[in-house]
Amino acid sequence: MLADRTKLIKPSATLEITAKAKEMRKKGIKIISLAAGEPDFSSPKEVKEAVCRALEENFIYYTPAQGIPELREAVARKFNKDYGTDYTEENVIITAGAKQAIYLAVQALVNPKEEVLIHTPAWVSYEPIVNLALAKPVFVKTEENFKLTRESLEKAVTEKTKALILNYPNNPTGAVMDKKEMKEIIDFCLENDIYIISDEIYDKIVFKEFKSAASLTKEKEKIVIVNGFSKTYSMTGFRVGYAIASSEIVKAMTRMLSHSTSCVTSFVQKAALEALEKCDYFVEGMVKAFRERRDYMVKRLEEMDIDCVKPDGTFYAFPDFSKYERDSLKMADYLLTEAKVAVVPGIAFYAEGYQRLSFATSMENIEEGMNRIENALKKL
Ligand SMILES: Cc1ncc(COP(=O)(O)O)c(C=O)c1O
């Protein structure tokens, strides 16, 4: 008999459609995928070389659970430079991706039955992470242009509210809150004694200015910044990320990490250090490509008369297909069957009517994908 907590994780809403796409591919049908959740670039060569060098130097043993000091220092230094903060290596923990950082932050801060606010549309893993802490996810719908407002938070807060998981630049919408909008949310949480877990994994993939939550207040005791190397440096398979928080929170997270995964893979930490120190050029090039692809995709959607808030960050667009079909699973299934284009239905992100279209694929694929979608819609 499995433990009760295993039942807290529901099967993915998109399981069937993903299986169908796989079947179609097996049959040799050429599907254009606009469903990717990771950059289509290879990791920088400096990063790969750093792994080889670390192996040659036999850097293959356990590291401190919190992460190697030189990487923690580099994370703090770069973050301080970018956002004008004054963190030190004591405030940084290296984790197996941003996902583990969020998991540990929730485990460290939230008691069973306490409530965690999640703004929607939302990334898929927040709800299960909160459930696994035996806490209660409370969904807060965002307002215009997918921005979270103080008013909607006010309505959702109860005496059990412990934390908010904030995610801008946002997956799946690509929305980026400006400085003033972010500050309003941070101030509201601090006034109401609510922790902020700010998932800023897309902070460098932006087409306008973004300011980290930590740069908007001097009171940082209740703020946990989460970030990582997966998206910024196209290193999803390396599994390396980090959290920046008060040393008390970092110590609590470290204790849990030390008894679950021990530490992040030694040579991967060396590769992450190289990325931070040498690979700004790579990020610049990638963001330039994403901007061109975004502009093209949004223009095509406009021409098809499909409403789409222009994404200011990430590599996703989140157009509203509800004038054709409100049931996003049905629409995604139609696009797969008729257009042979894979997208992710909005329901996976708690938002009916929408589809997430990723532009983390070649311009050629995007062009072909948009042509196919246009033709399929004409038949409706
Ligand atoms: C919003 C968001 N947060 C966190 C993650 C997890 O990233 P990582 O690979 O660093 O665990 C993702 C990955 O898709 C994401 O989209």
Side-chain angles (χ1 to χ4, degrees):
M1 183 81 162
L2 295 175
D4 294 345
R5 76 174 68 82
T6 59
K7 297 181 194 94
L8 297 172
I9 313 283
K10 294 179 224 139
S12 157
T14 57
L15 220 56
E16 261 176 53
I17 192 152
T18 316
K20 187 167 173 180
K22 206 169 149 195
E23 267 314 297
M24 287 169 74
R25 275 201 188 97
K26 242 196 204 158
K27 285 185 191 149
I29 300 170
K30 188 174 179 310
I31 292 168
I32 298 281
S33 177
L34 301 179
E38 57 191 342
D40 56 314
F41 295 80
S42 186
S43 316
K45 69 174 187 335
E46 292 85 345
V47 165
K48 295 179 189 171
E49 283 164 9
V51 172
C52 296
R53 215 166 38 244
L55 289 174
E56 275 160 19
E57 288 165 6
N58 220 25
F59 194 73
I60 54 158
Y61 298 104
Y62 291 134
T63 75
Q66 198 180 335
I68 55 174
E70 59 268 42
L71 177 57
R72 287 189 276 127
E73 266 162 32
V75 166
R77 205 181 319 119
K78 187 155 175 38
F79 192 86
N80 291 339
K81 181 168 163 272
D82 289 348
Y83 295 119
T85 48
D86 53 4
Y87 288 113
T88 71
E89 45 92 20
E90 276 183 27
N91 303 113
V92 178
I93 174 174
I94 307 301
T95 55
K99 193 179 275 185
Q100 190 189 27
I102 301 164
Y103 183 86
L104 292 174
V106 170
Q107 289 286 333
L109 294 174
V110 185
N111 288 307
K113 298 198 170 71
E114 286 179 336
E115 295 175 0
V116 178
L117 303 171
I118 298 171
H119 56 90
T120 63
W123 180 52
V124 295
S125 290
Y126 301 137
E127 182 187 10
I129 285 173
V130 171
N131 281 336
L132 283 173
L134 308 181
K136 184 179 166 202
V138 173
F139 297 101
V140 185
K141 205 165 165 282
T142 52
E143 305 286 329
E144 212 184 327
N145 294 341
F146 305 117
K147 307 277 181 83
L148 179 61
T149 63
R150 188 184 169 108
E151 291 71 37
S152 42
L153 273 185
E154 261 163 14
K155 284 185 209 137
V157 167
T158 72
E159 72 278 7
K160 292 210 181 102
T161 308
K162 186 64 171 286
L164 162 72
I165 301 181
L166 186 65
N167 173 223
Y168 289 98
N170 179 259
N171 176 8
T173 65
V176 178
M177 298 258 272
D178 67 29
K179 199 171 150 182
K180 186 168 160 281
E181 292 164 334
M182 281 277 277
K183 185 157 172 51
E184 237 178 63
I185 301 300
I186 307 301
D187 289 347
F188 173 81
C189 289
L190 297 179
E191 281 159 27
N192 289 278
D193 215 17
I194 297 168
Y195 283 92
I196 301 150
I197 300 171
S198 190
D199 177 356
E200 302 178 358
I201 183 109
Y202 295 96
D203 75 327
K204 293 288 177 272
I205 305 179
V206 285
F207 318 117
K208 73 170 216 186
E209 189 192 48
F210 171 74
K211 287 278 177 206
S212 166
S215 67
L216 302 174
T217 174
K218 288 204 164 54
E219 298 168 59
K220 300 204 185 23
E221 293 303 301
K222 286 197 149 20
I223 298 183
V224 181
I225 301 296
V226 171
N227 208 323
F229 297 81
S230 286
K231 318 286 175 174
T232 311
Y233 301 100
S234 196
M235 291 170 62
T236 49
F238 284 69
R239 308 311 302 132
V240 57
Y242 54 87
I244 306 178
S246 71
S247 62
E248 189 194 6
I249 296 175
V250 165
K251 276 185 195 143
M253 289 170 69
T254 302
R255 284 197 293 276
M256 285 185 285
L257 186 147
S258 77
H259 291 296
S260 47
T261 51
S262 296
C263 65
V264 170
T265 309
S266 54
F267 43 86
V268 162
Q269 295 189 56
K270 289 281 189 183
L273 180 60
E274 198 79 356
L276 276 185
E277 289 182 340
K278 306 247 172 78
C279 298
D280 283 355
Y281 80 92
F282 172 88
V283 186
E284 248 170 62
M286 190 173 67
V287 172
K288 185 166 173 281
F290 283 147
R291 182 193 285 268
E292 282 163 14
R293 296 172 189 178
R294 171 201 68 159
D295 289 346
Y296 177 77
M297 186 181 267
V298 170
K299 182 170 109 334
R300 289 296 304 269
L301 289 165
E302 260 170 31
E303 286 165 6
M304 290 178 219
D305 205 21
I306 291 175
D307 293 333
C308 181
V309 179
K310 195 171 186 177
D312 284 321
T314 75
F315 36 76
Y316 311 111
F318 203 55
D320 181 358
F321 280 74
S322 55
K323 67 167 75 153
Y324 289 98
E325 172 62 65
R326 230 196 100 63
D327 184 325
S328 63
L329 267 175
K330 266 194 194 159
M331 187 71 213
D333 187 54
Y334 177 75
L335 292 176
L336 182 63
T337 318
E338 183 61 37
K340 317 272 185 299
V341 175
V343 297
V344 186
I347 189 71
F349 311 103
Y350 317 89
E352 264 307 10
Y354 296 87
Q355 303 292 330
R356 191 187 75 177
L357 273 54
S358 165
F359 41 92
T361 184
S362 69
M363 195 60 137
E364 199 186 350
N365 272 347
I366 296 171
E367 252 181 78
E368 174 64 16
M370 298 315 281
N371 289 344
R372 290 185 184 191
I373 291 177
E374 188 166 26
N375 288 332
L377 291 182
K378 277 183 192 149
K379 293 183 189 157
L380 288 175

Tab-separated table of all heavy atoms in Angstrom, residues 193-238:
chain	number	residue	atom	x	y	z
A	193	ASP	N	3.015	39.835	6.429
A	193	ASP	CA	3.810	38.752	6.986
A	193	ASP	C	3.788	37.483	6.122
A	193	ASP	O	3.684	36.364	6.644
A	193	ASP	CB	3.272	38.435	8.395
A	193	ASP	CG	4.392	38.029	9.317
A	193	ASP	OD1	5.550	38.304	8.973
A	193	ASP	OD2	4.102	37.410	10.358
A	194	ILE	N	3.824	37.666	4.823
A	194	ILE	CA	3.768	36.535	3.894
A	194	ILE	C	5.131	36.380	3.214
A	194	ILE	O	5.682	37.361	2.699
A	194	ILE	CB	2.671	36.791	2.816
A	194	ILE	CG1	1.296	36.877	3.482
A	194	ILE	CG2	2.693	35.718	1.732
A	194	ILE	CD1	0.202	37.400	2.555
A	195	TYR	N	5.666	35.174	3.246
A	195	TYR	CA	6.934	34.911	2.549
A	195	TYR	C	6.737	34.991	1.033
A	195	TYR	O	5.674	34.628	0.519
A	195	TYR	CB	7.462	33.515	2.887
A	195	TYR	CG	8.108	33.435	4.244
A	195	TYR	CD1	7.365	33.072	5.367
A	195	TYR	CD2	9.456	33.715	4.409
A	195	TYR	CE1	7.953	32.997	6.628
A	195	TYR	CE2	10.058	33.640	5.658
A	195	TYR	CZ	9.295	33.291	6.758
A	195	TYR	OH	9.886	33.224	7.992
A	196	ILE	N	7.783	35.416	0.332
A	196	ILE	CA	7.727	35.469	-1.132
A	196	ILE	C	8.797	34.526	-1.683
A	196	ILE	O	9.988	34.709	-1.408
A	196	ILE	CB	8.016	36.888	-1.652
A	196	ILE	CG1	6.993	37.869	-1.081
A	196	ILE	CG2	8.027	36.929	-3.184
A	196	ILE	CD1	7.539	39.254	-0.913
A	197	ILE	N	8.341	33.521	-2.417
A	197	ILE	CA	9.290	32.663	-3.135
A	197	ILE	C	9.221	33.135	-4.579
A	197	ILE	O	8.235	32.910	-5.271
A	197	ILE	CB	8.894	31.175	-3.008
A	197	ILE	CG1	8.892	30.767	-1.525
A	197	ILE	CG2	9.846	30.294	-3.830
A	197	ILE	CD1	8.301	29.391	-1.257
A	198	SER	N	10.247	33.880	-5.007
A	198	SER	CA	10.188	34.505	-6.325
A	198	SER	C	10.991	33.674	-7.331
A	198	SER	O	12.221	33.657	-7.298
A	198	SER	CB	10.726	35.944	-6.250
A	198	SER	OG	10.474	36.624	-7.453
A	199	ASP	N	10.258	32.987	-8.181
A	199	ASP	CA	10.881	32.132	-9.199
A	199	ASP	C	11.239	33.016	-10.395
A	199	ASP	O	10.384	33.383	-11.189
A	199	ASP	CB	9.889	31.025	-9.585
A	199	ASP	CG	10.405	30.124	-10.696
A	199	ASP	OD1	11.500	30.382	-11.236
A	199	ASP	OD2	9.689	29.155	-11.039
A	200	GLU	N	12.535	33.334	-10.493
A	200	GLU	CA	12.995	34.284	-11.523
A	200	GLU	C	13.863	33.580	-12.570
A	200	GLU	O	14.802	34.147	-13.117
A	200	GLU	CB	13.730	35.442	-10.831
A	200	GLU	CG	12.815	36.143	-9.827
A	200	GLU	CD	13.465	37.298	-9.044
A	200	GLU	OE1	14.669	37.564	-9.240
A	200	GLU	OE2	12.737	37.912	-8.236
A	201	ILE	N	13.511	32.334	-12.854
A	201	ILE	CA	14.327	31.505	-13.750
A	201	ILE	C	14.482	32.103	-15.157
A	201	ILE	O	15.442	31.816	-15.852
A	201	ILE	CB	13.767	30.064	-13.796
A	201	ILE	CG1	14.602	29.125	-14.653
A	201	ILE	CG2	12.352	29.992	-14.301
A	201	ILE	CD1	15.358	28.113	-13.918
A	202	TYR	N	13.522	32.944	-15.557
A	202	TYR	CA	13.621	33.557	-16.900
A	202	TYR	C	14.127	35.007	-16.827
A	202	TYR	O	13.912	35.761	-17.769
A	202	TYR	CB	12.255	33.516	-17.594
A	202	TYR	CG	11.764	32.108	-17.891
A	202	TYR	CD1	10.889	31.454	-17.028
A	202	TYR	CD2	12.189	31.417	-19.030
A	202	TYR	CE1	10.443	30.158	-17.280
A	202	TYR	CE2	11.754	30.126	-19.301
A	202	TYR	CZ	10.887	29.508	-18.423
A	202	TYR	OH	10.461	28.220	-18.679
A	203	ASP	N	14.776	35.387	-15.736
A	203	ASP	CA	15.100	36.828	-15.563
A	203	ASP	C	15.995	37.390	-16.657
A	203	ASP	O	15.966	38.589	-16.935
A	203	ASP	CB	15.692	37.119	-14.167
A	203	ASP	CG	17.133	36.667	-14.014
A	203	ASP	OD1	17.523	35.645	-14.625
A	203	ASP	OD2	17.891	37.324	-13.268
A	204	LYS	N	16.803	36.530	-17.288
A	204	LYS	CA	17.714	37.045	-18.324
A	204	LYS	C	17.113	36.908	-19.729
A	204	LYS	O	17.676	37.411	-20.696
A	204	LYS	CB	19.055	36.296	-18.266
A	204	LYS	CG	19.838	36.592	-16.986
A	204	LYS	CD	20.409	38.007	-17.018
A	204	LYS	CE	21.127	38.368	-15.733
A	204	LYS	NZ	20.248	38.943	-14.699
A	205	ILE	N	15.985	36.190	-19.827
A	205	ILE	CA	15.366	36.044	-21.152
A	205	ILE	C	14.216	37.044	-21.229
A	205	ILE	O	13.039	36.698	-21.074
A	205	ILE	CB	14.917	34.589	-21.398
A	205	ILE	CG1	16.135	33.666	-21.180
A	205	ILE	CG2	14.338	34.423	-22.805
A	205	ILE	CD1	15.868	32.205	-21.360
A	206	VAL	N	14.577	38.307	-21.380
A	206	VAL	CA	13.588	39.383	-21.367
A	206	VAL	C	13.822	40.354	-22.517
A	206	VAL	O	14.950	40.525	-22.980
A	206	VAL	CB	13.620	40.165	-20.020
A	206	VAL	CG1	12.980	39.356	-18.919
A	206	VAL	CG2	15.025	40.574	-19.621
A	207	PHE	N	12.720	40.977	-22.940
A	207	PHE	CA	12.777	41.936	-24.051
A	207	PHE	C	12.456	43.338	-23.541
A	207	PHE	O	12.175	44.251	-24.295
A	207	PHE	CB	11.816	41.495	-25.159
A	207	PHE	CG	11.877	40.005	-25.399
A	207	PHE	CD1	10.774	39.192	-25.173
A	207	PHE	CD2	13.068	39.406	-25.803
A	207	PHE	CE1	10.844	37.810	-25.360
A	207	PHE	CE2	13.156	38.027	-25.991
A	207	PHE	CZ	12.039	37.227	-25.763
A	208	LYS	N	12.401	43.478	-22.226
A	208	LYS	CA	12.311	44.781	-21.564
A	208	LYS	C	12.947	44.628	-20.181
A	208	LYS	O	13.293	43.513	-19.792
A	208	LYS	CB	10.856	45.228	-21.459
A	208	LYS	CG	10.017	44.491	-20.428
A	208	LYS	CD	8.686	45.178	-20.248
A	208	LYS	CE	8.222	45.108	-18.817
A	208	LYS	NZ	6.902	45.616	-18.594
A	209	GLU	N	13.080	45.736	-19.459
A	209	GLU	CA	13.786	45.647	-18.180
A	209	GLU	C	13.018	44.798	-17.170
A	209	GLU	O	11.802	44.877	-17.079
A	209	GLU	CB	13.982	47.056	-17.607
A	209	GLU	CG	14.885	47.051	-16.410
A	209	GLU	CD	14.863	48.373	-15.637
A	209	GLU	OE1	13.772	48.887	-15.341
A	209	GLU	OE2	15.961	48.853	-15.329
A	210	PHE	N	13.753	43.990	-16.411
A	210	PHE	CA	13.151	43.244	-15.307
A	210	PHE	C	13.976	43.491	-14.052
A	210	PHE	O	15.194	43.491	-14.091
A	210	PHE	CB	13.114	41.741	-15.613
A	210	PHE	CG	12.713	40.925	-14.417
A	210	PHE	CD1	11.388	40.916	-13.993
A	210	PHE	CD2	13.654	40.200	-13.689
A	210	PHE	CE1	11.010	40.181	-12.863
A	210	PHE	CE2	13.276	39.469	-12.564
A	210	PHE	CZ	11.966	39.465	-12.163
A	211	LYS	N	13.275	43.708	-12.933
A	211	LYS	CA	13.970	43.885	-11.657
A	211	LYS	C	13.602	42.758	-10.712
A	211	LYS	O	12.407	42.482	-10.502
A	211	LYS	CB	13.537	45.221	-11.023
A	211	LYS	CG	14.116	46.432	-11.715
A	211	LYS	CD	15.524	46.666	-11.205
A	211	LYS	CE	16.189	47.812	-11.919
A	211	LYS	NZ	17.638	47.694	-11.931
A	212	SER	N	14.604	42.127	-10.137
A	212	SER	CA	14.339	41.046	-9.186
A	212	SER	C	13.579	41.557	-7.967
A	212	SER	O	13.782	42.688	-7.518
A	212	SER	CB	15.672	40.460	-8.720
A	212	SER	OG	15.465	39.655	-7.578
A	213	ALA	N	12.740	40.683	-7.408
A	213	ALA	CA	11.990	41.022	-6.189
A	213	ALA	C	12.928	41.507	-5.081
A	213	ALA	O	12.596	42.409	-4.314
A	213	ALA	CB	11.205	39.802	-5.714
A	214	ALA	N	14.127	40.917	-5.031
A	214	ALA	CA	15.063	41.267	-3.948
A	214	ALA	C	15.627	42.673	-4.087
A	214	ALA	O	16.186	43.224	-3.140
A	214	ALA	CB	16.203	40.265	-3.922
A	215	SER	N	15.476	43.271	-5.274
A	215	SER	CA	16.046	44.608	-5.469
A	215	SER	C	15.038	45.686	-5.096
A	215	SER	O	15.328	46.877	-5.167
A	215	SER	CB	16.479	44.785	-6.929
A	215	SER	OG	15.342	44.798	-7.766
A	216	LEU	N	13.833	45.283	-4.681
A	216	LEU	CA	12.760	46.266	-4.499
A	216	LEU	C	12.447	46.583	-3.040
A	216	LEU	O	11.541	47.342	-2.748
A	216	LEU	CB	11.488	45.767	-5.207
A	216	LEU	CG	11.673	45.507	-6.717
A	216	LEU	CD1	10.429	44.892	-7.311
A	216	LEU	CD2	12.024	46.793	-7.441
A	217	THR	N	13.179	45.977	-2.121
A	217	THR	CA	12.962	46.265	-0.705
A	217	THR	C	14.249	46.012	0.073
A	217	THR	O	15.096	45.217	-0.360
A	217	THR	CB	11.838	45.377	-0.114
A	217	THR	OG1	11.759	45.608	1.294
A	217	THR	CG2	12.097	43.901	-0.365
A	218	LYS	N	14.358	46.677	1.211
A	218	LYS	CA	15.529	46.421	2.069
A	218	LYS	C	15.259	45.243	3.002
A	218	LYS	O	16.172	44.624	3.528
A	218	LYS	CB	15.835	47.676	2.895
A	218	LYS	CG	16.417	48.790	2.056
A	218	LYS	CD	17.249	49.749	2.916
A	218	LYS	CE	18.153	50.627	2.084
A	218	LYS	NZ	17.464	51.379	1.022
A	219	GLU	N	13.961	44.948	3.197
A	219	GLU	CA	13.608	43.848	4.117
A	219	GLU	C	13.619	42.521	3.365
A	219	GLU	O	12.633	42.155	2.741
A	219	GLU	CB	12.189	44.062	4.669
A	219	GLU	CG	12.032	45.304	5.476
A	219	GLU	CD	10.548	45.578	5.715
A	219	GLU	OE1	9.874	44.718	6.302
A	219	GLU	OE2	10.076	46.636	5.274
A	220	LYS	N	14.749	41.833	3.450
A	220	LYS	CA	14.879	40.632	2.614
A	220	LYS	C	14.648	39.330	3.380
A	220	LYS	O	14.743	38.247	2.807
A	220	LYS	CB	16.259	40.617	1.977
A	220	LYS	CG	16.485	41.841	1.094
A	220	LYS	CD	17.521	41.560	0.079
A	220	LYS	CE	17.878	42.756	-0.750
A	220	LYS	NZ	17.615	44.074	-0.200
A	221	GLU	N	14.349	39.449	4.691
A	221	GLU	CA	14.228	38.238	5.511
A	221	GLU	C	13.163	37.276	5.006
A	221	GLU	O	13.250	36.080	5.197
A	221	GLU	CB	13.913	38.624	6.979
A	221	GLU	CG	15.041	39.355	7.682
A	221	GLU	CD	16.340	38.539	7.675
A	221	GLU	OE1	16.329	37.425	8.204
A	221	GLU	OE2	17.350	39.026	7.102
A	222	LYS	N	12.138	37.816	4.369
A	222	LYS	CA	11.024	36.961	3.946
A	222	LYS	C	11.028	36.691	2.441
A	222	LYS	O	10.029	36.228	1.885
A	222	LYS	CB	9.692	37.614	4.358
A	222	LYS	CG	9.426	37.522	5.849
A	222	LYS	CD	7.984	37.780	6.123
A	222	LYS	CE	7.373	37.084	7.284
A	222	LYS	NZ	8.069	36.552	8.337
A	223	ILE	N	12.155	36.992	1.795
A	223	ILE	CA	12.207	36.774	0.341
A	223	ILE	C	13.185	35.647	-0.014
A	223	ILE	O	14.324	35.634	0.462
A	223	ILE	CB	12.634	38.071	-0.392
A	223	ILE	CG1	11.592	39.158	-0.142
A	223	ILE	CG2	12.807	37.821	-1.889
A	223	ILE	CD1	11.845	40.452	-0.857
A	224	VAL	N	12.708	34.717	-0.819
A	224	VAL	CA	13.586	33.667	-1.357
A	224	VAL	C	13.604	33.835	-2.876
A	224	VAL	O	12.566	33.742	-3.529
A	224	VAL	CB	13.056	32.250	-1.015
A	224	VAL	CG1	14.003	31.179	-1.577
A	224	VAL	CG2	12.864	32.077	0.483
A	225	ILE	N	14.780	34.106	-3.419
A	225	ILE	CA	14.910	34.201	-4.880
A	225	ILE	C	15.326	32.835	-5.414
A	225	ILE	O	16.248	32.208	-4.879
A	225	ILE	CB	16.004	35.239	-5.263
A	225	ILE	CG1	15.671	36.628	-4.689
A	225	ILE	CG2	16.202	35.283	-6.782
A	225	ILE	CD1	14.417	37.257	-5.215
A	226	VAL	N	14.628	32.394	-6.444
A	226	VAL	CA	14.974	31.119	-7.069
A	226	VAL	C	15.397	31.394	-8.513
A	226	VAL	O	14.763	32.180	-9.219
A	226	VAL	CB	13.755	30.168	-7.057
A	226	VAL	CG1	14.040	28.922	-7.893
A	226	VAL	CG2	13.392	29.781	-5.629
A	227	ASN	N	16.483	30.752	-8.913
A	227	ASN	CA	16.940	30.909	-10.291
A	227	ASN	C	17.779	29.682	-10.664
A	227	ASN	O	17.909	28.773	-9.860
A	227	ASN	CB	17.740	32.220	-10.443
A	227	ASN	CG	17.648	32.776	-11.847
A	227	ASN	OD1	17.642	32.029	-12.824
A	227	ASN	ND2	17.600	34.096	-11.972
A	228	GLY	N	18.339	29.693	-11.855
A	228	GLY	CA	19.123	28.528	-12.246
A	228	GLY	C	19.770	28.722	-13.591
A	228	GLY	O	19.691	29.793	-14.193
A	229	PHE	N	20.388	27.657	-14.058
A	229	PHE	CA	21.192	27.719	-15.281
A	229	PHE	C	20.475	27.120	-16.484
A	229	PHE	O	20.932	27.266	-17.614
A	229	PHE	CB	22.530	27.011	-15.028
A	229	PHE	CG	23.341	27.690	-13.957
A	229	PHE	CD1	23.079	27.454	-12.604
A	229	PHE	CD2	24.318	28.603	-14.286
A	229	PHE	CE1	23.795	28.106	-11.614
A	229	PHE	CE2	25.039	29.261	-13.305
A	229	PHE	CZ	24.777	29.017	-11.957
A	230	SER	N	19.335	26.420	-16.218
A	230	SER	CA	18.639	25.669	-17.265
A	230	SER	C	18.289	26.522	-18.470
A	230	SER	O	18.555	26.144	-19.610
A	230	SER	CB	17.349	25.070	-16.711
A	230	SER	OG	17.629	23.988	-15.881
A	231	LYS	N	17.652	27.655	-18.224
A	231	LYS	CA	17.127	28.456	-19.325
A	231	LYS	C	18.179	29.458	-19.802
A	231	LYS	O	18.453	29.575	-20.990
A	231	LYS	CB	15.858	29.200	-18.895
A	231	LYS	CG	14.895	28.386	-18.051
A	231	LYS	CD	14.125	27.333	-18.820
A	231	LYS	CE	13.299	26.498	-17.844
A	231	LYS	NZ	12.411	25.540	-18.441
A	232	THR	N	18.795	30.183	-18.873
A	232	THR	CA	19.730	31.256	-19.222
A	232	THR	C	20.900	30.747	-20.061
A	232	THR	O	21.327	31.418	-20.999
A	232	THR	CB	20.289	31.913	-17.934
A	232	THR	OG1	19.188	32.210	-17.090
A	232	THR	CG2	21.048	33.183	-18.246
A	233	TYR	N	21.428	29.578	-19.702
A	233	TYR	CA	22.610	29.070	-20.399
A	233	TYR	C	22.311	27.770	-21.143
A	233	TYR	O	23.233	27.031	-21.486
A	233	TYR	CB	23.751	28.864	-19.398
A	233	TYR	CG	24.127	30.128	-18.672
A	233	TYR	CD1	23.671	30.371	-17.371
A	233	TYR	CD2	24.896	31.116	-19.284
A	233	TYR	CE1	23.991	31.542	-16.700
A	233	TYR	CE2	25.225	32.291	-18.629
A	233	TYR	CZ	24.767	32.499	-17.332
A	233	TYR	OH	25.079	33.664	-16.680
A	234	SER	N	21.026	27.492	-21.347
A	234	SER	CA	20.617	26.261	-22.025
A	234	SER	C	21.317	25.042	-21.420
A	234	SER	O	22.063	24.329	-22.091
A	234	SER	CB	20.909	26.367	-23.533
A	234	SER	OG	20.197	25.355	-24.210
A	235	MET	N	21.079	24.812	-20.148
A	235	MET	CA	21.730	23.712	-19.425
A	235	MET	C	20.703	22.853	-18.684
A	235	MET	O	20.952	22.428	-17.551
A	235	MET	CB	22.757	24.292	-18.427
A	235	MET	CG	23.971	24.923	-19.092
A	235	MET	SD	25.015	25.851	-17.938
A	235	MET	CE	25.565	24.605	-16.785
A	236	THR	N	19.565	22.576	-19.334
A	236	THR	CA	18.486	21.886	-18.602
A	236	THR	C	18.918	20.527	-18.031
A	236	THR	O	18.566	20.190	-16.910
A	236	THR	CB	17.243	21.696	-19.495
A	236	THR	OG1	17.652	21.142	-20.747
A	236	THR	CG2	16.522	22.999	-19.757
A	237	GLY	N	19.689	19.775	-18.819
A	237	GLY	CA	20.067	18.436	-18.370
A	237	GLY	C	21.168	18.415	-17.317
A	237	GLY	O	21.419	17.384	-16.699
A	238	PHE	N	21.820	19.545	-17.107
A	238	PHE	CA	22.880	19.598	-16.093
A	238	PHE	C	22.281	19.512	-14.687
A	238	PHE	O	22.939	19.077	-13.761
A	238	PHE	CB	23.684	20.906	-16.208
A	238	PHE	CG	24.656	20.935	-17.351
A	238	PHE	CD1	24.215	20.972	-18.665
A	238	PHE	CD2	26.021	20.935	-17.116
A	238	PHE	CE1	25.115	21.009	-19.720
A	238	PHE	CE2	26.935	20.966	-18.153
A	238	PHE	CZ	26.482	20.998	-19.457
